[in-house]
Amino acid sequence: MLLKDKVVIVSGVGPGMGQALARIAAAEGARVALGARSKDLIEEVAADIKAKGGQAIAVPTDISSAAACEAMAQATIDAFGTIDGLVNTAYIHGAWLPVDEADPEDYARVFDVNCLGAMRMAQAVIPTFKAKHDGAIINVSTMSTVNPFTGEGGYATGKGGLNVLSRHMANDFGKYGVRVNHTRMGWIGGKPVYDYIDRAVAAGGDRDQITAEIAGRIPLDIIPPEDDCAKAVLFFLSDYARVVTGAVLDVNGGQYMAP
């Protein structure tokens, strides 16, 4: 199994790829700590993991609070004895507005979660990583940081900061044996995207046409399935990536191809 005996924190376990990351990590042998503001959801996912023979804890966590991030790390150590990996997937989107109409305070709130929240979580786990001279951090970002999409200025700005922060983390944490990488996700075939399609259909759109239009932008001609996207992220936690740090992986079916 890819993550056998590793202890992994997944922050931002929501109804989209976050829950898939937690479930697949557990299926690949990891003991998983699930963090998010939604207590009911993370408890549901943790219970499902345990029902399938895995090990998981649910820790309600608001990553805008350093104390909450530290409590998340400590709860993981209390439950499993150590921490081997951190997946920073928590985010908020902010208002869907073009930049000329956007509220700078909304951008600030988004940046605080999307970028500084990942920093707080990294600072919470780094003492454990330093002590063992080992660890891996994956920061989940978005294709819209390099391929702009109207209305995503705030979200992409926060994640763009995360892209830069990831490289500085890799530089600063490398001497402690800690690897830091990030992924830029495109369309992900999970609940958030299918809810978006449902809303478009409710507004009078044709489901097949909308789905085909999205897939038509992507060289693989599919909306990348959520589980496949999650597996690409989790690869960086595995021993197959032990000498990979400071890297970025585009997970988008080829819609954006970095030069």
Side-chain angles (χ1 to χ4, degrees):
M1 291 187 284
L2 192 68
L3 303 175
K4 182 173 173 56
D5 298 327
K6 293 189 182 295
V7 175
V8 174
I9 294 175
V10 182
S11 76
V13 176
M17 191 176 69
Q19 57 80 30
L21 285 162
R23 294 179 196 276
I24 294 171
E28 290 290 344
R31 291 168 286 170
V32 185
L34 292 70
R37 288 178 297 176
S38 177
K39 180 174 182 288
D40 290 345
L41 176 62
I42 59 176
E43 288 182 345
E44 177 186 334
V45 175
D48 186 51
I49 288 171
K50 288 186 278 190
K52 293 175 180 175
Q55 297 183 58
I57 60 169
V59 185
T61 306
D62 180 352
I63 63 168
S64 66
S65 162
C69 294
E70 290 163 6
M72 174 66 172
Q74 188 59 54
T76 305
I77 293 168
D78 291 344
F80 301 129
T82 190
I83 306 167
D84 298 302
L86 166 66
V87 182
N88 280 314
T89 189
Y91 76 94
I92 58 174
H93 190 281
W96 282 86
L97 290 170
V99 176
D100 57 309
E101 298 176 19
D103 180 355
E105 293 303 316
D106 183 59
Y107 272 45
R109 285 188 293 271
V110 172
F111 189 88
D112 184 60
V113 172
N114 292 2
C115 183
L116 300 185
M119 179 178 175
R120 294 184 190 101
M121 279 302 311
Q123 290 178 335
V125 303
I126 197 66
T128 300
F129 290 173
K130 285 181 178 181
K132 60 197 285 186
H133 202 77
D134 190 28
I137 298 173
I138 314 303
N139 294 322
V140 177
S141 184
T142 173
M143 180 179 69
S144 63
T145 59
V146 289
N147 189 19
F149 189 87
T150 299
E152 292 213 309
Y155 171 63
T157 297
K159 290 293 191 178
L162 180 62
N163 295 352
V164 175
L165 179 63
S166 296
R167 292 189 171 96
H168 282 269
M169 284 182 179
N171 180 70
D172 293 347
F173 297 170
K175 59 181 174 288
Y176 306 122
V178 178
R179 300 177 289 107
V180 185
N181 298 286
H182 69 284
T183 58
R184 293 187 299 218
M185 316 305 295
W187 291 89
I188 300 173
K191 188 177 187 304
V193 165
Y194 293 124
D195 283 350
Y196 161 80
I197 293 173
D198 286 344
R199 290 193 296 271
V201 171
D206 177 85
R207 184 179 304 277
D208 291 341
Q209 184 177 353
I210 295 167
T211 302
E213 191 276 329
I214 295 170
R217 308 175 200 171
I218 301 170
L220 289 182
D221 200 34
I222 58 169
I223 299 176
E226 182 177 77
D227 283 3
D228 290 335
C229 293
K231 290 172 184 175
V233 174
L234 292 172
F235 158 76
F236 282 114
L237 293 181
S238 77
D239 290 341
Y240 286 106
R242 285 200 63 81
V243 294
V244 181
T245 195
V248 56
L249 178 65
D250 289 306
V251 185
N252 54 47
Q255 185 173 357
Y256 174 80
M257 299 183 189

